[in-house]
Amino acid sequence: MKIISVVGARPNFVKIGPFIKEIEKHNVHGKESKSLERIDHILVHTGQHYDKTMNKSFFIDLNIPEPDINLGIGSGTHAEQVGKTMIEFEKILRSERPDWVVVVGDVNATLACSITAKKENVKCCHIEAGLRSGDLSMPEEINRLVTDRLSDLLLTPDKLSVNNLLNEGISDKKIRFVGNIMIDTLIDNLDKANTKRISSILLDNRISTEEIIDSFLSENMEYALLTMHRPSNVDNKYILTSIIDLFINEINNKITIIWPIHPRTIKQIKNFNLWDKVINAENMLLLHPVGYHEMLYLNKNAKLILTDSGGLQEESSFLGTPCITLRWNTERPVTLRRNGGTSILVGNDIKKIRKELLNTLNSSIESVKPELWDGKTALRCLSSILEYDSGL
Ligand code: UD1
């Protein structure tokens, strides 16, 4: 059997690692028992994320093999990224003729490669299927809808996602509830993350060349972790300025904020002439995008996290870190406090962010781990593909 797996952007790398390891285990086991068919695996990187900090460091940290093929797509508008990926990926499919294309998550690579696979009559499996925010202004929601509509096998992280797919009329024969593959990576890497030190994370990744004041470097300092990159938060000058002003002018005496900044956000902060303000803020420490283990350490030890990232909502829920989600909706309702998670939605309404930030600073939150977020999802993903092919 031949499988092509596809990655394009940072969140994909965290999801594909455990799947590749499971294929390797299958092949070792197959050699010993001689009864299992070998799986030939090809990893294709579309090249959407290319900076060292957004890309290569993740492959090294997570011990993911170098991609066999890099399509080198790079930056561009959505249509440019999707169009170029389809043109290049079609050539790969025509020369390799795989049995399956496996796509993960909801980025432009997921959409482009699932469409191309189906047009070339190759079976497509979507890992992390069934998530829905209901918000079509999010590019990722369009990617999810199209990919799920086309895929032959839909592997979901939770039962709410199974219901979403059934409600859209998708046959239950195509759907398997397998759990959250990103949590496989998290569990596998917790020990390494625990060896990190806050002082070295800050010194190694800081953007400012000014000296870091000593209180920032104390190992038991209290801090809030901030990440923001969604167009809804960073592409509008008024919204981005109000959020930054809240953190700098009102929260400054309450908590220190550690902010690993996404390239899209840096660009916009500079475009809107806000750079001097954030780099000189006394309660804020700006970092380059950090590695996987550093992020896991920062997340696990934060007093709270403020984010618009999908993955961080899930990771903080699993770790029990209170999360204030800077979005009006989420495709991951399993992470919400009302469903046993640690997250609350505040959008980009300054009054709401202020209220929930202060509430969360003064309270503690208990969380429950969702079903099958147990570190064994990748095994269930691969078994689902093998069972599908043997007609089970
Ligand atoms: C993408 C995903 C999003 C995911 C996010 C995580 C889509 C539609 N969106 O958004 O779901 O949460 O990645 O990071 O696929 N850039 C660099 N260096 C890089 C990569 C990007 O400087 O290595 C710049 C690009 O020039 C671009 C901006 O960052 O201007 C945004 O990159 P892009 O790939 O378009 O999407 P993200 O916003 O990162």
Side-chain angles (χ1 to χ4, degrees):
M1 178 195 287
K2 191 189 266 191
I3 298 179
I4 292 188
S5 308
V6 178
V7 290
R10 189 169 59 172
N12 290 166
F13 312 147
V14 184
K15 293 167 196 162
I16 210 65
F19 182 69
I20 296 178
K21 285 194 188 98
E22 220 40 69
I23 292 181
E24 286 164 359
K25 275 194 226 159
H26 168 97
N27 284 341
V28 170
H29 191 60
K31 231 182 200 170
E32 283 160 6
S33 72
K34 297 205 168 84
S35 60
L36 292 173
E37 185 193 354
R38 189 189 147 72
I39 299 174
D40 290 324
H41 180 252
I42 297 174
L43 179 61
V44 172
H45 190 331
T46 65
Q48 178 176 344
H49 281 179
Y50 47 85
D51 278 2
K52 185 163 186 287
T53 50
M54 301 288 287
N55 178 31
K56 190 149 177 86
S57 76
F58 277 73
F59 280 81
I60 297 168
D61 282 0
L62 300 177
N63 211 2
I64 305 171
E66 284 280 318
D68 299 289
I69 299 167
N70 193 318
L71 305 181
I73 300 305
S75 303
T77 66
H78 289 275
E80 282 166 352
Q81 283 183 336
V82 172
K84 283 185 195 164
T85 304
M86 287 181 69
I87 292 167
E88 294 308 317
F89 193 57
E90 185 183 62
K91 295 178 194 157
I92 308 294
L93 290 182
R94 288 189 176 178
S95 62
E96 295 293 342
R97 296 310 315 165
D99 300 287
W100 283 92
V101 166
V102 173
V103 294
V104 292
D106 54 18
V107 304
N108 287 336
T110 317
L111 170 77
C113 295
S114 58
I115 297 176
T116 317
K118 289 316 295 169
K119 289 212 171 222
E120 286 296 303
N121 280 320
V122 177
K123 282 173 288 186
C124 182
C125 168
H126 184 202
I127 299 182
E128 203 188 74
L131 297 181
R132 295 290 182 270
S133 67
D135 177 1
L136 280 174
S137 70
M138 263 183 102
E140 292 80 0
E141 183 73 355
I142 299 167
N143 297 347
R144 290 179 201 117
L145 280 166
V146 177
T147 301
D148 284 345
R149 185 68 189 82
L150 295 179
S151 293
D152 300 271
L153 188 53
L154 297 145
L155 306 181
T156 77
D158 53 55
K159 286 192 173 155
L160 297 170
S161 302
V162 173
N163 288 338
N164 289 339
L165 295 171
L166 293 174
N167 288 339
E168 287 172 15
I170 294 177
S171 156
D172 62 354
K173 293 194 178 66
K174 292 179 164 188
I175 308 169
R176 307 275 188 285
F177 166 40
V178 294
N180 190 332
I181 199 158
M182 218 179 56
I183 300 300
D184 287 18
T185 301
L186 188 156
I187 293 173
D188 219 26
N189 285 278
L190 258 185
D191 286 348
K192 267 196 191 154
N194 285 334
T195 64
K196 296 282 170 192
R197 287 285 153 263
I198 188 99
S199 45
S200 19
I201 297 175
L202 301 185
L203 288 168
D204 292 349
N205 297 287
R206 69 196 162 137
I207 292 182
S208 167
T209 48
E210 299 282 309
E211 255 177 61
I212 297 185
I213 40 177
D214 285 348
S215 62
F216 272 132
L217 297 176
S218 140
E219 288 306 321
N220 42 24
M221 76 180 261
E222 276 202 344
Y223 60 88
L225 178 65
L226 169 66
T227 82
M228 250 197 310
H229 72 280
R230 297 260 164 230
S232 55
N233 287 328
V234 306
D235 285 3
N236 175 299
K237 181 175 182 181
Y238 172 75
I239 291 172
L240 186 58
T241 310
S242 339
I243 298 177
I244 286 173
D245 282 347
L246 170 74
F247 294 152
I248 294 182
N249 299 334
E250 291 192 48
I251 312 299
N252 51 338
N253 56 358
K254 304 264 183 320
I255 193 137
T256 297
I257 294 179
I258 296 181
W259 187 3
I261 295 204
H262 190 283
R264 163 192 278 283
T265 312
I266 294 195
K267 249 186 224 170
Q268 295 301 57
I269 289 180
K270 291 187 173 164
N271 281 344
F272 301 149
N273 291 324
L274 298 168
W275 187 247
D276 284 349
K277 194 189 275 198
V278 291
I279 198 84
N280 293 319
E282 282 184 359
N283 68 322
M284 230 180 217
L285 206 63
L286 265 58
L287 306 181
H288 294 287
V290 294
Y292 181 81
H293 297 116
E294 293 170 321
M295 194 59 168
L296 190 49
Y297 179 96
L298 289 174
N299 185 350
K300 181 163 174 278
N301 295 296
K303 176 88 178 148
L304 61 93
I305 174 161
L306 295 138
T307 190
D308 58 12
S309 143
L312 281 168
Q313 287 170 54
E314 295 184 334
E315 289 167 338
S316 59
S317 256
F318 185 83
L319 295 166
T321 307
C323 177
I324 296 177
T325 300
L326 303 165
R327 289 180 43 192
W328 294 111
N329 49 51
T330 180
E331 63 288 345
R332 295 166 163 89
V334 76
T335 62
L336 294 177
R337 294 181 195 175
R338 61 176 149 85
N339 294 326
T342 62
S343 155
I344 186 147
L345 298 174
V346 294
N348 42 36
D349 178 326
I350 296 302
K351 278 196 205 127
K352 274 195 164 186
I353 305 175
R354 181 191 296 119
K355 179 169 161 250
E356 289 308 333
L357 221 163
L358 296 176
N359 276 349
T360 307
L361 277 175
N362 297 317
S363 55
S364 60
I365 289 165
E366 296 292 319
S367 63
V368 193
K369 293 194 178 29
E371 205 181 335
L372 297 189
W373 290 26
D374 59 358
K376 299 185 182 111
T377 294
L379 174 60
R380 288 187 284 268
C381 290
L382 185 58
S383 306
S384 301
I385 292 176
L386 297 170
E387 283 164 16
Y388 184 102
D389 272 357
S390 53
L392 292 171

